[in-house]
Amino acid sequence: CSCATNKWTVCAQDGSENCSCTLVGSNHRVDCSTLTSKCLLMRAEMTPLKEKRFWGHPHGLLDSDGIYNPDCEDSGIFKARQCNQADTCWCVNTAGVRRTEKGDKSLSCGELVRTSWIYIKLRHKKRSSGFSVPDIANALKHLFESRYKLHPKYITAVKYNSPLIQIHLNQQNPEKSRCDVDIADVAYYFEKDIKNDSVFHSNSTLTVSVNGDALDIEKIRIYYIDEKPPEFCMKLLAAGVSAVVTVVTLMAGFGIAALVILRWLRTRKYKKVEIKEM
């Protein structure tokens, strides 16, 4: 009795020998036939070591203000506003990524904005010869469909220029049904697999094969694009632009001053030569 899609669970059989699993550190029931939401996984990873000593080492989301425990709705999605232990708050999207400046507990976030596009950038280890684009695309689409239960229609593009790979996931709100896995959860599971910290119960190392050859991925970066633009304060942007303008102005000033000094020295040298000749 175990949960194949989530190692952060406690499972037990009832009188009918049905296996029931709950999330570590809470009584939240887990559907082991599909992926667990990213928010619930992060909460489980924040459970104190003594409560999950049999499941591995504790992990957490590292923010610039420190580690925080995410707030989740009963459905498992992120609450629009997140706060850390220092009472610093910010707004997030459905992927749990910050989309506003930080403030205090008076910060209001309103609706939870959906992440509809995810770009995954990969780099595989160098090899004598690269793979063909169709072979890479077919292998990765099969991986996302079989391992992460993602419908192929949400994989809109796979681009390849050895050793770089780009995967585009697109999942608009009206298009996604309740039974479909969320692309934010898929990206989180995939990133964990690449970093050898698999969420799956078997905790097996991810192996991707392209026509029998291993695809050894050594680097991953994920970019999130929301249905609405982020709400970062323009003051910080203006301050950054002002700083750049100041630096450029100072450099230009130093350059002009250097040219004037060099010209003065050269003119002075010519005058000395003329006096000697006279």
Side-chain angles (χ1 to χ4, degrees):
C1 182
S2 63
C3 187
T5 58
N6 189 346
K7 67 181 180 181
W8 306 111
T9 53
V10 177
C11 302
Q13 287 182 331
D14 57 21
S16 304
E17 295 188 353
N18 294 321
C19 188
S20 177
C21 299
T22 58
L23 202 66
V24 170
S26 73
N27 294 322
H28 196 286
R29 291 283 296 272
V30 177
D31 182 0
C32 297
S33 65
T34 188
L35 305 186
T36 305
S37 71
K38 179 180 177 180
C39 189
L40 292 176
L41 287 175
M42 287 169 50
R43 289 189 63 179
E45 291 168 348
M46 285 296 299
T47 304
L49 178 62
K50 64 181 182 180
E51 295 185 28
K52 60 177 186 180
R53 56 185 178 273
F54 300 113
W55 289 272
H57 298 289
H59 300 275
L61 181 62
L62 184 62
D63 188 75
S64 58
D65 285 328
I67 297 175
Y68 72 94
N69 193 356
D71 291 325
C72 310
E73 301 285 359
D74 292 337
S75 60
I77 64 173
F78 287 91
K79 289 187 177 181
R81 191 186 74 167
Q82 298 290 325
C83 301
N84 61 12
Q85 294 93 333
D87 291 338
T88 300
C89 302
W90 58 92
C91 303
V92 300
N93 54 23
T94 53
V97 178
R98 183 165 65 91
R99 51 176 281 110
T100 66
E101 299 299 336
K102 295 176 181 178
D104 55 25
K105 284 206 166 184
S106 64
L107 178 68
S108 177
C109 294
E111 66 173 325
L112 180 68
V113 178
R114 176 163 183 75
T115 297
S116 55
W117 285 83
I118 292 181
Y119 293 167
I120 303 174
K121 291 187 176 182
L122 307 171
R123 178 191 292 271
H124 67 70
K125 293 182 180 179
K126 291 184 179 180
R127 41 185 287 126
S128 57
S129 60
F131 302 97
S132 70
V133 176
D135 289 342
I136 282 281
N138 290 334
L140 290 174
K141 286 180 179 179
H142 175 72
L143 171 71
F144 276 73
E145 184 179 4
S146 59
R147 186 173 178 87
Y148 308 111
K149 316 300 180 186
L150 182 66
H151 196 286
K153 67 181 179 181
Y154 298 129
I155 308 174
T156 55
V158 177
K159 300 180 180 181
Y160 178 56
N161 184 14
S162 182
L164 303 177
I165 306 171
Q166 280 191 32
I167 306 172
H168 296 184
L169 307 181
N170 181 12
Q171 192 175 56
Q172 303 294 335
N173 215 358
E175 184 183 5
K176 180 183 179 297
S177 66
R178 293 186 62 182
C179 60
D180 289 330
V181 294
D182 195 283
I183 55 174
D185 301 336
V186 171
Y188 192 66
Y189 268 77
F190 184 55
E191 183 178 20
K192 287 284 190 178
D193 277 338
I194 296 300
K195 295 180 177 180
N196 293 323
D197 187 22
S198 178
V199 180
F200 292 98
H201 189 270
S202 60
N203 203 19
S204 58
T205 303
L206 175 67
T207 55
V208 184
S209 177
V210 181
N211 283 344
D213 294 330
L215 178 66
D216 295 322
I217 301 171
E218 61 180 0
K219 187 176 181 180
I220 179 172
R221 296 196 70 176
I222 301 178
Y223 301 87
Y224 303 89
I225 300 177
D226 298 341
E227 291 180 344
K228 294 183 179 181
E231 301 172 8
F232 291 105
C233 182
M234 293 303 294
K235 291 181 180 179
L236 294 179
L237 179 61
V241 173
S242 177
V244 172
V245 171
T246 302
V247 171
V248 172
T249 303
L250 288 174
M251 291 179 66
F254 286 133
I256 294 172
L259 289 174
V260 171
I261 293 172
L262 288 174
R263 187 174 181 179
W264 177 77
L265 291 173
R266 189 176 299 172
T267 304
R268 183 181 179 186
K269 182 178 180 181
Y270 288 158
K271 286 182 178 180
K272 287 182 177 180
V273 172
E274 289 176 358
I275 292 173
K276 288 180 178 180
E277 291 179 350
M278 290 176 64

mmCIF file of all heavy atoms in Angstrom, residues 34-68:
data_model
loop_
_atom_site.group_PDB
_atom_site.id
_atom_site.type_symbol
_atom_site.label_atom_id
_atom_site.label_comp_id
_atom_site.label_asym_id
_atom_site.label_seq_id
_atom_site.Cartn_x
_atom_site.Cartn_y
_atom_site.Cartn_z
ATOM 1 N N THR A 34 -2.861 10.359 -10.106
ATOM 2 C CA THR A 34 -2.427 11.538 -10.851
ATOM 3 C C THR A 34 -1.406 12.315 -10.040
ATOM 4 O O THR A 34 -1.034 11.903 -8.921
ATOM 5 C CB THR A 34 -3.638 12.433 -11.189
ATOM 6 O OG1 THR A 34 -3.213 13.483 -12.068
ATOM 7 C CG2 THR A 34 -4.257 13.019 -9.933
ATOM 8 N N LEU A 35 -0.941 13.429 -10.569
ATOM 9 C CA LEU A 35 0.052 14.238 -9.870
ATOM 10 C C LEU A 35 -0.582 15.010 -8.723
ATOM 11 O O LEU A 35 -1.727 15.439 -8.803
ATOM 12 C CB LEU A 35 0.705 15.230 -10.843
ATOM 13 C CG LEU A 35 1.357 14.670 -12.108
ATOM 14 C CD1 LEU A 35 2.069 15.797 -12.860
ATOM 15 C CD2 LEU A 35 2.321 13.545 -11.797
ATOM 16 N N THR A 36 0.179 15.199 -7.659
ATOM 17 C CA THR A 36 -0.245 16.050 -6.548
ATOM 18 C C THR A 36 0.107 17.492 -6.891
ATOM 19 O O THR A 36 1.120 17.753 -7.543
ATOM 20 C CB THR A 36 0.458 15.631 -5.252
ATOM 21 O OG1 THR A 36 0.221 14.239 -5.023
ATOM 22 C CG2 THR A 36 -0.045 16.428 -4.061
ATOM 23 N N SER A 37 -0.711 18.440 -6.453
ATOM 24 C CA SER A 37 -0.466 19.841 -6.776
ATOM 25 C C SER A 37 0.861 20.313 -6.186
ATOM 26 O O SER A 37 1.322 19.828 -5.153
ATOM 27 C CB SER A 37 -1.605 20.718 -6.257
ATOM 28 O OG SER A 37 -1.563 20.802 -4.849
ATOM 29 N N LYS A 38 1.470 21.262 -6.871
ATOM 30 C CA LYS A 38 2.765 21.816 -6.446
ATOM 31 C C LYS A 38 2.682 22.425 -5.054
ATOM 32 O O LYS A 38 3.598 22.257 -4.241
ATOM 33 C CB LYS A 38 3.224 22.856 -7.462
ATOM 34 C CG LYS A 38 4.546 23.516 -7.125
ATOM 35 C CD LYS A 38 4.925 24.539 -8.173
ATOM 36 C CE LYS A 38 6.228 25.265 -7.805
ATOM 37 N NZ LYS A 38 6.608 26.276 -8.830
ATOM 38 N N CYS A 39 1.579 23.106 -4.746
ATOM 39 C CA CYS A 39 1.438 23.751 -3.445
ATOM 40 C C CYS A 39 1.460 22.720 -2.324
ATOM 41 O O CYS A 39 2.157 22.885 -1.316
ATOM 42 C CB CYS A 39 0.144 24.564 -3.406
ATOM 43 S SG CYS A 39 -0.027 25.613 -1.938
ATOM 44 N N LEU A 40 0.702 21.639 -2.478
ATOM 45 C CA LEU A 40 0.658 20.607 -1.443
ATOM 46 C C LEU A 40 2.007 19.911 -1.294
ATOM 47 O O LEU A 40 2.423 19.552 -0.185
ATOM 48 C CB LEU A 40 -0.433 19.589 -1.761
ATOM 49 C CG LEU A 40 -1.879 20.102 -1.672
ATOM 50 C CD1 LEU A 40 -2.859 19.008 -2.100
ATOM 51 C CD2 LEU A 40 -2.204 20.572 -0.249
ATOM 52 N N LEU A 41 2.707 19.722 -2.408
ATOM 53 C CA LEU A 41 4.030 19.105 -2.342
ATOM 54 C C LEU A 41 4.999 19.988 -1.564
ATOM 55 O O LEU A 41 5.779 19.502 -0.739
ATOM 56 C CB LEU A 41 4.570 18.855 -3.753
ATOM 57 C CG LEU A 41 3.925 17.721 -4.538
ATOM 58 C CD1 LEU A 41 4.470 17.680 -5.953
ATOM 59 C CD2 LEU A 41 4.156 16.383 -3.839
ATOM 60 N N MET A 42 4.937 21.290 -1.824
ATOM 61 C CA MET A 42 5.813 22.206 -1.102
ATOM 62 C C MET A 42 5.515 22.193 0.391
ATOM 63 O O MET A 42 6.429 22.234 1.223
ATOM 64 C CB MET A 42 5.666 23.616 -1.668
ATOM 65 C CG MET A 42 6.320 23.796 -3.030
ATOM 66 S SD MET A 42 5.887 25.368 -3.829
ATOM 67 C CE MET A 42 6.221 26.530 -2.521
ATOM 68 N N ARG A 43 4.240 22.116 0.752
ATOM 69 C CA ARG A 43 3.881 22.051 2.174
ATOM 70 C C ARG A 43 4.420 20.781 2.804
ATOM 71 O O ARG A 43 4.920 20.794 3.935
ATOM 72 C CB ARG A 43 2.366 22.128 2.337
ATOM 73 C CG ARG A 43 1.784 23.493 2.043
ATOM 74 C CD ARG A 43 0.340 23.584 2.421
ATOM 75 N NE ARG A 43 0.144 23.400 3.856
ATOM 76 C CZ ARG A 43 -1.043 23.460 4.452
ATOM 77 N NH1 ARG A 43 -2.134 23.689 3.728
ATOM 78 N NH2 ARG A 43 -1.152 23.286 5.755
ATOM 79 N N ALA A 44 4.314 19.673 2.089
ATOM 80 C CA ALA A 44 4.826 18.410 2.624
ATOM 81 C C ALA A 44 6.340 18.466 2.795
ATOM 82 O O ALA A 44 6.891 17.943 3.770
ATOM 83 C CB ALA A 44 4.442 17.266 1.689
ATOM 84 N N GLU A 45 7.032 19.115 1.861
ATOM 85 C CA GLU A 45 8.481 19.232 1.946
ATOM 86 C C GLU A 45 8.917 20.112 3.115
ATOM 87 O O GLU A 45 10.057 20.024 3.566
ATOM 88 C CB GLU A 45 9.031 19.801 0.636
ATOM 89 C CG GLU A 45 8.910 18.832 -0.527
ATOM 90 C CD GLU A 45 9.188 19.483 -1.862
ATOM 91 O OE1 GLU A 45 9.261 20.729 -1.926
ATOM 92 O OE2 GLU A 45 9.315 18.742 -2.842
ATOM 93 N N MET A 46 7.996 20.942 3.601
ATOM 94 C CA MET A 46 8.309 21.816 4.733
ATOM 95 C C MET A 46 8.023 21.154 6.076
ATOM 96 O O MET A 46 8.282 21.724 7.128
ATOM 97 C CB MET A 46 7.486 23.108 4.638
ATOM 98 C CG MET A 46 7.985 24.063 3.582
ATOM 99 S SD MET A 46 9.640 24.680 3.939
ATOM 100 C CE MET A 46 9.343 25.517 5.493
ATOM 101 N N THR A 47 7.482 19.943 6.053
ATOM 102 C CA THR A 47 7.179 19.238 7.297
ATOM 103 C C THR A 47 8.457 18.992 8.086
ATOM 104 O O THR A 47 9.476 18.626 7.507
ATOM 105 C CB THR A 47 6.492 17.888 6.995
ATOM 106 O OG1 THR A 47 5.340 18.117 6.201
ATOM 107 C CG2 THR A 47 6.102 17.177 8.282
ATOM 108 N N PRO A 48 8.440 19.207 9.403
ATOM 109 C CA PRO A 48 9.648 18.985 10.205
ATOM 110 C C PRO A 48 10.226 17.597 9.999
ATOM 111 O O PRO A 48 9.509 16.636 9.722
ATOM 112 C CB PRO A 48 9.153 19.168 11.648
ATOM 113 C CG PRO A 48 7.970 20.068 11.529
ATOM 114 C CD PRO A 48 7.325 19.709 10.214
ATOM 115 N N LEU A 49 11.514 17.494 10.147
ATOM 116 C CA LEU A 49 12.231 16.245 9.901
ATOM 117 C C LEU A 49 11.688 15.097 10.736
ATOM 118 O O LEU A 49 11.567 13.977 10.261
ATOM 119 C CB LEU A 49 13.726 16.450 10.184
ATOM 120 C CG LEU A 49 14.638 15.226 10.034
ATOM 121 C CD1 LEU A 49 14.605 14.743 8.594
ATOM 122 C CD2 LEU A 49 16.052 15.577 10.440
ATOM 123 N N LYS A 50 11.318 15.346 11.992
ATOM 124 C CA LYS A 50 10.877 14.262 12.859
ATOM 125 C C LYS A 50 9.575 13.634 12.366
ATOM 126 O O LYS A 50 9.279 12.489 12.676
ATOM 127 C CB LYS A 50 10.690 14.764 14.287
ATOM 128 C CG LYS A 50 9.591 15.819 14.437
ATOM 129 C CD LYS A 50 9.472 16.289 15.875
ATOM 130 C CE LYS A 50 8.354 17.314 16.045
ATOM 131 N NZ LYS A 50 8.233 17.766 17.446
ATOM 132 N N GLU A 51 8.791 14.406 11.562
ATOM 133 C CA GLU A 51 7.532 13.875 11.065
ATOM 134 C C GLU A 51 7.694 13.100 9.772
ATOM 135 O O GLU A 51 6.794 12.404 9.357
ATOM 136 C CB GLU A 51 6.530 15.015 10.861
ATOM 137 C CG GLU A 51 6.119 15.710 12.137
ATOM 138 C CD GLU A 51 5.040 16.741 11.887
ATOM 139 O OE1 GLU A 51 4.273 16.557 10.913
ATOM 140 O OE2 GLU A 51 4.961 17.722 12.632
ATOM 141 N N LYS A 52 8.841 13.232 9.104
ATOM 142 C CA LYS A 52 9.007 12.546 7.824
ATOM 143 C C LYS A 52 10.414 11.938 7.698
ATOM 144 O O LYS A 52 10.986 11.895 6.632
ATOM 145 C CB LYS A 52 8.762 13.509 6.673
ATOM 146 C CG LYS A 52 9.685 14.709 6.639
ATOM 147 C CD LYS A 52 9.396 15.544 5.401
ATOM 148 C CE LYS A 52 10.400 16.666 5.274
ATOM 149 N NZ LYS A 52 10.168 17.493 4.107
ATOM 150 N N ARG A 53 10.927 11.438 8.796
ATOM 151 C CA ARG A 53 12.292 10.932 8.785
ATOM 152 C C ARG A 53 12.427 9.709 7.886
ATOM 153 O O ARG A 53 13.534 9.340 7.510
ATOM 154 C CB ARG A 53 12.735 10.588 10.203
ATOM 155 C CG ARG A 53 11.845 9.605 10.941
ATOM 156 C CD ARG A 53 12.308 9.421 12.381
ATOM 157 N NE ARG A 53 11.458 8.526 13.127
ATOM 158 C CZ ARG A 53 10.369 8.897 13.772
ATOM 159 N NH1 ARG A 53 9.989 10.154 13.723
ATOM 160 N NH2 ARG A 53 9.638 8.036 14.437
ATOM 161 N N PHE A 54 11.311 9.057 7.554
ATOM 162 C CA PHE A 54 11.388 7.884 6.698
ATOM 163 C C PHE A 54 11.262 8.237 5.222
ATOM 164 O O PHE A 54 11.361 7.372 4.376
ATOM 165 C CB PHE A 54 10.288 6.880 7.072
ATOM 166 C CG PHE A 54 10.400 6.400 8.486
ATOM 167 C CD1 PHE A 54 9.445 6.737 9.424
ATOM 168 C CD2 PHE A 54 11.467 5.622 8.885
ATOM 169 C CE1 PHE A 54 9.537 6.299 10.734
ATOM 170 C CE2 PHE A 54 11.574 5.186 10.197
ATOM 171 C CZ PHE A 54 10.608 5.522 11.129
ATOM 172 N N TRP A 55 11.029 9.512 4.904
ATOM 173 C CA TRP A 55 10.779 9.875 3.507
ATOM 174 C C TRP A 55 11.932 10.648 2.879
ATOM 175 O O TRP A 55 11.906 10.979 1.735
ATOM 176 C CB TRP A 55 9.496 10.709 3.398
ATOM 177 C CG TRP A 55 8.287 9.875 3.646
ATOM 178 C CD1 TRP A 55 7.583 9.167 2.736
ATOM 179 C CD2 TRP A 55 7.637 9.667 4.898
ATOM 180 N NE1 TRP A 55 6.536 8.516 3.337
ATOM 181 C CE2 TRP A 55 6.546 8.809 4.670
ATOM 182 C CE3 TRP A 55 7.876 10.112 6.198
ATOM 183 C CZ2 TRP A 55 5.690 8.407 5.684
ATOM 184 C CZ3 TRP A 55 7.030 9.704 7.198
ATOM 185 C CH2 TRP A 55 5.950 8.857 6.937
ATOM 186 N N GLY A 56 12.954 10.990 3.622
ATOM 187 C CA GLY A 56 14.082 11.706 3.036
ATOM 188 C C GLY A 56 14.358 13.006 3.765
ATOM 189 O O GLY A 56 13.837 13.271 4.837
ATOM 190 N N HIS A 57 15.170 13.843 3.174
ATOM 191 C CA HIS A 57 15.577 15.093 3.802
ATOM 192 C C HIS A 57 14.564 16.190 3.518
ATOM 193 O O HIS A 57 13.964 16.235 2.458
ATOM 194 C CB HIS A 57 16.957 15.519 3.286
ATOM 195 C CG HIS A 57 18.030 14.530 3.605
ATOM 196 N ND1 HIS A 57 18.508 14.343 4.882
ATOM 197 C CD2 HIS A 57 18.697 13.653 2.814
ATOM 198 C CE1 HIS A 57 19.449 13.423 4.868
ATOM 199 N NE2 HIS A 57 19.578 12.984 3.625
ATOM 200 N N PRO A 58 14.365 17.132 4.472
ATOM 201 C CA PRO A 58 13.404 18.200 4.258
ATOM 202 C C PRO A 58 13.905 19.211 3.237
ATOM 203 O O PRO A 58 15.092 19.513 3.179
ATOM 204 C CB PRO A 58 13.276 18.852 5.640
ATOM 205 C CG PRO A 58 14.583 18.563 6.295
ATOM 206 C CD PRO A 58 15.020 17.228 5.778
ATOM 207 N N HIS A 59 12.999 19.702 2.434
ATOM 208 C CA HIS A 59 13.321 20.724 1.454
ATOM 209 C C HIS A 59 12.280 21.819 1.568
ATOM 210 O O HIS A 59 11.210 21.637 2.124
ATOM 211 C CB HIS A 59 13.319 20.155 0.027
ATOM 212 C CG HIS A 59 14.320 19.060 -0.174
ATOM 213 N ND1 HIS A 59 15.636 19.313 -0.482
ATOM 214 C CD2 HIS A 59 14.193 17.714 -0.099
ATOM 215 C CE1 HIS A 59 16.281 18.162 -0.600
ATOM 216 N NE2 HIS A 59 15.433 17.179 -0.373
ATOM 217 N N GLY A 60 12.561 22.963 1.010
ATOM 218 C CA GLY A 60 11.602 24.052 1.036
ATOM 219 C C GLY A 60 11.885 25.018 -0.087
ATOM 220 O O GLY A 60 12.951 24.976 -0.716
ATOM 221 N N LEU A 61 10.943 25.904 -0.330
ATOM 222 C CA LEU A 61 11.107 26.920 -1.348
ATOM 223 C C LEU A 61 11.922 28.056 -0.763
ATOM 224 O O LEU A 61 11.549 28.643 0.244
ATOM 225 C CB LEU A 61 9.742 27.439 -1.810
ATOM 226 C CG LEU A 61 9.772 28.495 -2.907
ATOM 227 C CD1 LEU A 61 10.387 27.939 -4.169
ATOM 228 C CD2 LEU A 61 8.371 28.995 -3.183
ATOM 229 N N LEU A 62 13.065 28.338 -1.357
ATOM 230 C CA LEU A 62 13.948 29.369 -0.849
ATOM 231 C C LEU A 62 13.593 30.700 -1.487
ATOM 232 O O LEU A 62 13.693 30.872 -2.685
ATOM 233 C CB LEU A 62 15.403 29.020 -1.142
ATOM 234 C CG LEU A 62 16.456 29.978 -0.582
ATOM 235 C CD1 LEU A 62 16.379 29.989 0.942
ATOM 236 C CD2 LEU A 62 17.836 29.572 -1.040
ATOM 237 N N ASP A 63 13.166 31.656 -0.663
ATOM 238 C CA ASP A 63 12.826 32.990 -1.118
ATOM 239 C C ASP A 63 13.879 33.939 -0.599
ATOM 240 O O ASP A 63 14.653 33.605 0.298
ATOM 241 C CB ASP A 63 11.432 33.375 -0.591
ATOM 242 C CG ASP A 63 10.938 34.672 -1.172
ATOM 243 O OD1 ASP A 63 10.529 34.687 -2.333
ATOM 244 O OD2 ASP A 63 10.977 35.676 -0.444
ATOM 245 N N SER A 64 13.947 35.160 -1.144
ATOM 246 C CA SER A 64 14.963 36.106 -0.726
ATOM 247 C C SER A 64 14.822 36.487 0.744
ATOM 248 O O SER A 64 15.770 36.948 1.364
ATOM 249 C CB SER A 64 14.914 37.359 -1.600
ATOM 250 O OG SER A 64 13.639 37.954 -1.538
ATOM 251 N N ASP A 65 13.616 36.308 1.314
ATOM 252 C CA ASP A 65 13.404 36.599 2.733
ATOM 253 C C ASP A 65 13.499 35.334 3.582
ATOM 254 O O ASP A 65 13.220 35.368 4.770
ATOM 255 C CB ASP A 65 12.027 37.233 2.939
ATOM 256 C CG ASP A 65 12.012 38.684 2.491
ATOM 257 O OD1 ASP A 65 13.060 39.335 2.609
ATOM 258 O OD2 ASP A 65 10.978 39.151 2.014
ATOM 259 N N GLY A 66 13.868 34.201 2.989
ATOM 260 C CA GLY A 66 13.994 32.960 3.739
ATOM 261 C C GLY A 66 12.993 31.917 3.282
ATOM 262 O O GLY A 66 12.264 32.097 2.309
ATOM 263 N N ILE A 67 12.960 30.798 3.998
ATOM 264 C CA ILE A 67 12.078 29.697 3.646
ATOM 265 C C ILE A 67 10.680 29.959 4.196
ATOM 266 O O ILE A 67 10.528 30.385 5.334
ATOM 267 C CB ILE A 67 12.632 28.376 4.203
ATOM 268 C CG1 ILE A 67 13.987 28.079 3.554
ATOM 269 C CG2 ILE A 67 11.686 27.229 3.947
ATOM 270 C CD1 ILE A 67 14.678 26.872 4.123
ATOM 271 N N TYR A 68 9.666 29.727 3.374
ATOM 272 C CA TYR A 68 8.297 29.924 3.833
ATOM 273 C C TYR A 68 7.448 28.704 3.517
ATOM 274 O O TYR A 68 7.758 27.926 2.610
ATOM 275 C CB TYR A 68 7.677 31.184 3.204
ATOM 276 C CG TYR A 68 7.352 31.060 1.737
ATOM 277 C CD1 TYR A 68 6.075 30.684 1.320
ATOM 278 C CD2 TYR A 68 8.300 31.330 0.763
ATOM 279 C CE1 TYR A 68 5.764 30.572 -0.017
ATOM 280 C CE2 TYR A 68 8.000 31.227 -0.572
ATOM 281 C CZ TYR A 68 6.726 30.849 -0.962
ATOM 282 O OH TYR A 68 6.421 30.734 -2.298
#
